[in-house]
Amino acid sequence: AQSVTQPDIHITVSEGASLELRCNYSYGATPYLFWYVQSPGQGLQLLLKYFSGDTLVQGIKGFEAEFKRSQSSFNLRKPSVHWSDAAEYFCAVGANNLFFGTGTRLTVIP
Amino acid sequence: DTEVTQTPKHLVMGMTNKKSLKCEQHMGHRAMYWYKQKAKKPPELMFVYSYEKLSINESVPSRFSPECPNSSLLNLHLHALQPEDSALYLCASSQAWTSGYETQYFGPGTRLLVL
């Protein structure tokens, strides 16, 4: 069965600092992988996706993610965080349906 | 344009009311989805429509009744809801439904409160 794990429930970073959000998945075949961001009370916005090919994927708002098959991971990174990045981040795996991790809440402090 | 619109933004209803949520997309997508999201939880799939036909019903109670009148429009009819049905209801669409191997675009959601 497929599953997605986001081990960090809440992360706090200073504005301008780098960011890495962790995501591990479990799936028998090569999955499609996604990162979505959700601001409070809002819908989900697609940041980036991985289907195949280059394992380093560039997304919107300066985010990137790297697919590592050997580690079953798809971690999200950003070199310099802005206050507007504060939100809930969901990793998701496309396998039969779209399955979401439990999310990581990002707080950005000045 | 990757916009999915949902109305209303907020809805308060009593347990005996009948109401409907509406979702619209004009991207030519042929798959549309309803998700339910409780506070501080990830979205959970409720229904999938593919080419205006119901393809997946994730064991959702019959007090939720989806409808897809055309390829651009998706409704969710609500009747005799319970307070535990209070949640953010998200609509999404994709070019097609390929069992998870598709990119879904989400609307802003309808926040529902059942009293």
Side-chain angles (χ1 to χ4, degrees):
Chain A
Q2 59 283 326
S3 67
V4 182
T5 302
Q6 292 182 248
D8 303 305
I9 295 174
H10 184 204
I11 283 182
T12 300
V13 299
S14 298
E15 191 168 15
S18 63
L19 172 71
E20 182 169 30
L21 302 182
R22 296 183 291 166
C23 173
N24 292 96
Y25 69 90
S26 174
Y27 186 56
T30 300
Y32 282 18
L33 296 162
F34 306 84
W35 274 101
Y36 285 88
V37 61
Q38 185 176 35
S39 296
Q42 301 297 312
L44 279 77
Q45 182 180 23
L46 180 67
L47 285 176
L48 48 77
K49 60 189 178 186
Y50 173 78
F51 287 176
S52 64
D54 193 347
T55 56
L56 185 62
V57 180
Q58 301 298 319
I60 63 171
K61 303 185 179 188
F63 285 94
E64 67 177 25
E66 186 171 12
F67 171 62
K68 292 185 177 180
R69 185 188 302 276
S70 61
Q71 298 176 20
S72 298
S73 68
F74 188 57
N75 294 348
L76 182 72
R77 300 194 294 250
K78 186 169 184 177
S80 178
V81 169
H82 188 262
W83 64 266
S84 60
D85 293 324
E88 189 86 20
Y89 290 79
F90 290 100
C91 179
V93 58
N96 297 320
N97 288 312
L98 193 61
F99 289 92
F100 289 88
T102 50
T104 297
R105 182 160 63 94
L106 175 65
T107 298
V108 180
I109 56 177
Chain B
D1 182 12
T2 55
E3 188 177 28
V4 176
T5 59
Q6 290 186 243
T7 54
K9 287 193 68 173
H10 302 275
L11 179 61
V12 180
M13 59 186 291
M15 288 188 286
T16 58
N17 292 158
K18 285 185 180 181
K19 296 286 185 183
S20 296
L21 310 185
K22 179 180 171 181
C23 173
E24 205 160 359
Q25 57 87 15
H26 296 287
M27 296 178 277
H29 289 174
R30 301 313 300 268
M32 296 185 78
Y33 312 76
W34 280 116
Y35 287 83
K36 174 182 178 180
Q37 185 180 24
K38 301 283 280 184
K40 300 189 187 302
K41 297 290 187 185
E44 294 178 345
L45 182 66
M46 300 173 72
F47 303 104
V48 179
Y49 271 84
S50 178
Y51 288 85
E52 294 133 64
K53 287 187 170 25
L54 183 63
S55 297
I56 288 188
N57 176 341
E58 291 286 359
S59 302
V60 179
S62 59
R63 56 185 184 269
F64 294 91
S65 175
E67 178 197 19
C68 190
N70 59 59
S71 60
S72 300
L73 191 55
L74 183 67
N75 298 319
L76 185 63
H77 303 297
L78 314 172
H79 173 55
L81 293 194
Q82 303 297 308
E84 60 265 28
D85 296 322
S86 299
L88 181 68
Y89 288 84
L90 295 164
C91 174
S93 72
S94 65
Q95 284 192 326
W97 177 57
T98 49
S99 300
Y101 295 93
E102 71 277 327
T103 301
Q104 295 184 24
Y105 296 93
F106 285 80
T110 292
R111 186 160 299 282
L112 174 67
L113 177 62
V114 182
L115 299 176

